[in-house]
Amino acid sequence: HVRSRRQRQMCIRDRHCVVCHGAALQQKNVRLDSPEQVKAHAQQIYQQVVQLRKMPFGNPGALNDDERSMVKRWYESGASVN
């Protein structure tokens, strides 16, 4: 079963981001549980995940290089959430 790029991105977000940036908890006032919120924070996501490699906080190794590359390609191609 081949998943779309969008589905893979959502899987990364759901697995690694919304625990600290979802409806129940918004670390640093960042909420990422909707496409609109992801788009609004696209630059921060790119910086923290790709450039600084600090996220996910406390376990930056949880994202593998392929997942980080996917975030990089997403951001550099316009950070589409549709």
Side-chain angles (χ1 to χ4, degrees):
H1 179 262
V2 177
R3 290 187 289 175
S4 72
R5 179 183 301 162
R6 171 88 172 105
Q7 288 171 318
R8 291 191 309 268
Q9 290 167 347
M10 288 177 60
C11 188
I12 290 170
R13 182 200 68 186
D14 292 348
R15 196 169 51 238
H16 298 292
C17 306
V18 297
V19 170
C20 295
H21 301 290
L25 178 66
Q26 298 89 43
Q27 292 287 341
K28 303 264 184 177
N29 291 317
V30 175
R31 188 170 174 177
L32 301 173
D33 59 333
S34 79
E36 296 79 19
Q37 293 155 338
V38 170
K39 182 70 171 179
H41 293 287
Q43 185 174 1
Q44 288 174 281
I45 294 167
Y46 177 74
Q47 182 181 37
Q48 293 295 319
V49 173
V50 177
Q51 293 179 320
L52 300 175
R53 299 177 68 93
K54 288 187 173 186
M55 290 293 133
F57 184 76
N59 191 11
L63 281 175
N64 64 43
D65 288 339
D66 289 339
E67 290 169 320
R68 288 187 194 279
S69 292
M70 184 179 298
V71 173
K72 182 178 190 284
R73 287 190 306 272
W74 164 76
Y75 179 79
E76 291 177 348
S77 67
S80 173
V81 293
N82 297 325

